[in-house]
Amino acid sequence: MLAKKYQYIFQNCRPFVISNGANLSHFNMSPLDGTIEKSEQFDCLKMEAAQMFDLVQQCDQVSFGDQGMAMEKWVMFDCAAMPGAIVGFAIEANKLDQNYLKLLKVPKGYQGLVPVSFYMAIPTVEKGSWFGHNLSSLGNRLSTPLPGLGLLTKALAIDVLQIKTMYGATQWGSVAIKIHAALAPMQLMSAYTPAHTHPMSLCYKSNYDRKSIQDVMAQKERVLADHEVLIHDDEARIQALQKQIEAGEKWVLLDKPWREKEQWFYPIAQAAS
Ligand SMILES: CC(C)(COP(=O)(O)OP(=O)(O)OC[C@H]1O[C@@H](n2cnc3c(N)ncnc32)[C@H](O)[C@@H]1OP(=O)(O)O)[C@@H](O)C(=O)NCCC(=O)NCCS
């Protein structure tokens, strides 16, 4: 059973998916507590998807513009909608406040769905395995904020796309790590990543199953095993950890980080290789 804050989101938002028609038939359209109706399934190869696609791009611009990581429209098409999918929550335009409509540059008179969050993921060559490359939630920009929207959006995408193994890259210090680590322990595939725009990025791998995702959405806590605490801006330790990983050691971020003053603290532990 979903915790109350997630039920509230399902009561006030509509789940949606954007992909191409051939992919759509492979997805689970009855995820978590909801159903994705035909009118909420957008085929990026059809003209009728154009407006929703533009609004998702604007959502991305608002979320990532200030980090220099906003996507060109062709990247959304080539690297998300065509090979994989964009899954999120939306609200009908007439139920949204003017400030939000302005923020998303919603055209006057538009009556359709306006995205408030999304997750983008692409399948990799490993069977059942995906790379999640974008998570955005504007839940705190609404006149009635939607706490929990970021976490619920990723859980929704996992269930729609039936993801068993997820890879992703994110920056140490990003709030999003709280979401990724809440859903499952994260094996650190890299701790310091010079190939990324931001070298202080980690790349992770997580395994999901329906039962454990349901437990997270019911807000059941995991028991935390013995761990070391890593601080988000300790570049020396993070580079040393990268060397340990490259030498074959397996390191896992066990659970959600916590924040004190301006620093994030991560419970990490070495696992058997
Ligand atoms: C990161 C982001 C997706 C979080 O969305 P959200 O809707 O606020 O997420 P949730 O409400 O589900 O919050 C998840 C947790 O993070 C916490 N949190 C949210 N914003 C926070 C902040 N600014 N500082 C500290 N903690 C925060 C919440 O309290 C919650 O903690 P809990 O599990 O202990 O209750 C959203 O802020 C965003 O889109 N940011 C810009 C884009 C970005 O950086 N994306 C991540 C790329 S990998």
Side-chain angles (χ1 to χ4, degrees):
M1 171 120 161
L2 294 182
K4 283 230 153 54
K5 63 178 172 181
Y6 304 123
Q7 289 180 24
Y8 181 83
I9 295 169
F10 265 108
Q11 284 154 9
N12 289 280
C13 303
R14 295 301 315 159
F16 72 88
V17 56
I18 305 178
S19 189
N20 70 78
N23 286 355
L24 285 169
S25 61
H26 293 276
F27 300 155
N28 167 26
M29 297 301 182
S30 302
L32 302 176
D33 259 16
T35 303
I36 307 184
E37 305 293 346
K38 279 267 177 253
S39 60
E40 294 149 358
Q41 302 172 19
F42 297 90
D43 183 342
C44 64
L45 297 175
K46 297 203 171 144
M47 285 171 67
E48 64 197 22
Q51 184 63 72
M52 190 63 174
F53 210 76
D54 283 351
L55 291 172
V56 171
Q57 192 197 12
Q58 181 56 17
C59 214
D60 178 71
Q61 177 65 43
V62 171
S63 294
F64 290 96
D66 64 345
Q67 302 174 40
M69 290 202 289
M71 268 181 288
E72 294 284 343
K73 201 168 167 186
W74 68 265
V75 178
M76 274 177 49
F77 183 85
D78 289 22
C79 307
M82 277 308 290
I86 303 168
V87 180
F89 283 99
I91 297 180
E92 287 91 354
N94 62 9
K95 294 186 183 153
L96 285 162
D97 61 281
Q98 282 305 320
N99 286 342
Y100 190 81
L101 295 175
K102 238 189 232 162
L103 186 70
L104 281 221
K105 301 188 174 156
V106 177
K108 280 212 164 56
Y110 173 73
Q111 302 279 324
L113 291 172
V114 179
V116 291
S117 70
F118 64 78
Y119 192 70
M120 297 185 186
I122 329 161
T124 74
V125 287
E126 214 178 300
K127 202 170 182 326
S129 155
W130 292 67
F131 185 85
H133 77 95
N134 201 317
L135 170 65
S136 159
S137 156
L138 296 179
N140 60 5
R141 306 294 283 263
L142 298 164
S143 56
T144 307
L146 293 173
L149 182 62
L151 179 64
L152 184 64
T153 300
K154 181 164 177 182
L156 176 81
I158 291 168
D159 208 24
V160 170
L161 307 176
Q162 299 161 90
I163 297 175
K164 301 280 176 266
T165 305
M166 169 74 84
Y167 290 88
T170 187
Q171 289 67 59
W172 290 110
S174 165
V175 173
I177 299 179
K178 220 174 165 184
I179 293 175
H180 305 315
L183 286 163
M186 299 158 68
Q187 183 188 343
L188 298 171
M189 308 303 292
S190 71
Y192 184 82
T193 320
H196 193 282
T197 309
H198 302 292
M200 281 286 278
S201 293
L202 61 99
C203 192
Y204 71 91
K205 175 183 180 179
S206 287
N207 296 315
Y208 304 124
D209 61 73
R210 260 201 136 180
K211 166 82 177 75
S212 59
I213 296 290
Q214 280 165 352
D215 285 350
V216 173
M217 303 324 289
Q219 294 191 307
K220 286 195 187 148
E221 305 242 322
R222 292 203 292 273
V223 179
L224 197 52
D226 286 347
H227 58 271
E228 167 189 336
V229 176
L230 180 75
I231 301 174
H232 86 272
D233 56 358
D234 186 349
E235 194 162 336
R237 178 66 189 106
I238 287 171
Q239 288 199 17
L241 186 57
Q242 173 63 20
K243 289 193 181 132
Q244 288 171 282
I245 293 167
E246 288 188 28
E249 291 181 13
K250 182 174 171 184
W251 283 82
V252 178
L253 172 51
L254 299 172
D255 208 333
K256 290 195 284 192
W258 59 94
R259 191 175 193 177
E260 280 166 32
K261 298 190 178 136
E262 290 308 304
Q263 283 181 311
W264 285 94
F265 298 87
Y266 302 93
I268 61 167
Q270 190 176 353
S273 300

